[in-house]
Amino acid sequence: MKLRSIVLAGVAAAALSAGPAMANDTQGWYIGLGVGYDHQDPIRILTAPPLSFGSRIGHQDNAMVAGSFGYKWQSNLRLEFEVSYSWHDSHAVNPGFTGLISGSNELAGALVNFIYDWNLGDRLSLSLGGGVGAGNLRESEVDSNIPGIKFIRGRHTEFMWQAIAGLNYEWDPSTELFLDYRYRSAEIDHGYATDWIALSPIHVFQAQEHVAMVGVRWFVEETPPPPPPPPPPPPPPPPPPPPPVKTFIVFFDFDKSNLTEKAQEVVAEAVRVAKANGFVRVLVTGHTDTVGSDSYNQALSIRRAQSVKDEMVREGMDGGTIDIVGKSFHDPLVPTGPGVREPQNRRAVIDLGG
């Protein structure tokens, strides 16, 4: 329909021109009220066999009113319950078998709507969604050739749905104005009574409407702002100085007992800490990986411990305060099976105060 095209084009143009998205603060419980211009498509009818005349009854454009109650989450998803009412005076579009039709119809709806709002700017948002529920269509039509005889009469309730596209403007954090386009269809598909017994019942198909609606939403339970953060706690007292390091590890190359340059740096640091903290006893324990026999590795672990002791003496320690021991491969840092070259197991451990 021309009306639907105009409204959708306006929504699209607004979305393209609104600029980068920013926050919209309206959220929480709300009530809404809207009124709109309503165009109803001609309603198709079919008389009962054996006559089976088909026709369409047109209706003049009129108005629709709707009220809603819903909730909007911070994620911009809205869920609402909506009731609506529209009414239209009638005229025949393609009667086929009778003269002018006069009268009216009324369509009342009760729908649950699911809607998502995309922020388009500081206060502007775009809504897309839909609703499902029930629609009640009352028909009261009279053939002008036979005054007083109801051509169609009755009321039926069936499934109803609608699609929604619109724009919202945040007037303030608790008030939102909206402009919506709605396509609504009540799937009546039901037989209505008639005073013309030969035509009874008259089957009425969908009642479809195109609505341009304006309205307002009042957020009656706005999400309260978060409480101010508590004052920062007083700074904790400075931590006590860490205890001096008592253990140093020196690593060796495979099947070697001489100290690498890095190992010499570790030994020198151990000597400095021992002197600074008054450690008078030192234990150096040599270890190996699991390659080779126990007896060979026992001798190698002792040689490694001795190399460390000799370096500590060279750095100024009293050799009489340094004990050494070898543990072959019986106390690995990294457990392995036999015959594994594990670099972290090829080591000597310096225990100050040992």
Side-chain angles (χ1 to χ4, degrees), residues 2-347:
K2 183 177 180 181
L3 174 63
R4 177 172 54 179
S5 301
I6 292 173
V7 175
L8 287 179
V11 170
L16 292 174
S17 62
M22 299 179 66
N24 187 316
D25 295 332
T26 51
Q27 63 184 82
W29 293 102
Y30 65 86
I31 56 175
L33 181 64
V35 61
Y37 176 84
D38 187 349
H39 170 82
Q40 188 176 79
D41 290 342
I43 295 179
R44 187 164 67 93
I45 64 173
L46 182 66
T47 64
L51 298 179
S52 298
F53 288 112
S55 182
R56 291 180 182 272
I57 299 179
H59 298 88
Q60 297 176 2
D61 294 347
N62 206 330
M64 186 189 84
V65 293
S68 61
F69 175 72
Y71 189 85
K72 180 177 179 179
W73 283 271
Q74 192 173 9
S75 63
N76 283 349
L77 178 67
R78 283 193 285 123
L79 175 65
E80 66 180 23
F81 174 72
E82 175 188 275
V83 293
S84 60
Y85 176 77
S86 64
W87 64 99
H88 300 270
D89 293 332
S90 308
H91 64 277
V93 174
N94 179 24
F97 57 89
T98 186
L100 294 176
I101 298 296
S102 62
S104 65
N105 74 9
E106 301 172 4
L107 179 58
L111 303 174
V112 177
N113 297 325
F114 301 86
I115 306 167
Y116 189 83
D117 298 331
W118 278 270
N119 290 330
L120 302 178
D122 190 18
R123 295 174 178 265
L124 192 65
S125 61
L126 168 69
S127 293
L128 292 176
V132 293
N136 179 275
L137 180 68
R138 184 192 70 85
E139 286 284 355
S140 179
E141 314 289 356
V142 177
D143 188 332
S144 61
N145 291 333
I146 313 177
I149 299 298
K150 288 293 182 67
F151 175 55
I152 304 177
R153 55 181 169 82
R155 181 189 297 271
H156 290 287
T157 301
E158 296 293 343
F159 174 74
M160 184 175 180
W161 62 274
Q162 68 176 349
I164 303 171
L167 290 172
N168 311 296
Y169 179 77
E170 181 187 333
W171 184 265
D172 58 46
S174 62
T175 308
E176 188 173 74
L177 307 179
F178 65 87
L179 169 65
D180 282 352
Y181 165 75
R182 302 183 179 215
Y183 176 78
R184 300 155 50 87
S185 181
E187 308 293 328
I188 299 301
D189 200 17
H190 207 287
Y192 279 68
T194 177
D195 291 344
W196 293 7
I197 303 302
L199 303 180
S200 181
I202 294 182
H203 198 92
V204 176
F205 295 86
Q206 296 97 333
Q208 298 167 329
E209 296 179 325
H210 306 265
V211 183
M213 174 177 287
V214 295
V216 60
R217 298 185 190 97
W218 294 277
F219 285 78
V220 296
E221 187 179 314
E222 185 183 355
T223 302
V245 178
K246 295 181 61 178
T247 302
F248 296 83
I249 301 178
V250 178
F251 292 100
F252 294 85
D253 292 333
F254 177 71
D255 199 24
K256 301 291 184 181
S257 60
N258 59 300
L259 299 179
T260 65
E261 183 177 342
K262 178 64 176 177
Q264 290 174 345
E265 294 176 0
V266 174
V267 173
E269 177 64 16
V271 172
R272 185 191 67 79
V273 172
K275 291 180 178 180
N277 292 276
F279 291 113
V280 296
R281 300 300 304 174
V282 177
L283 175 64
V284 181
T285 305
H287 302 268
T288 70
D289 59 26
T290 58
V291 177
S293 67
D294 186 16
S295 59
Y296 179 84
N297 280 294
Q298 176 63 24
L300 177 59
S301 66
I302 292 176
R303 291 198 303 272
R304 287 173 174 171
Q306 186 63 50
S307 295
V308 172
K309 177 179 179 178
D310 293 344
E311 182 66 17
M312 296 184 76
V313 171
R314 194 181 69 82
E315 290 285 342
M317 290 285 291
D318 180 0
T321 64
I322 304 173
D323 296 325
I324 65 171
V325 65
K327 290 193 175 183
S328 184
F329 47 62
H330 298 297
D331 188 14
L333 185 63
V334 179
T336 68
V340 177
R341 296 187 179 190
E342 172 52 56
Q344 294 190 70
N345 289 337
R346 302 192 296 263
R347 72 197 191 281

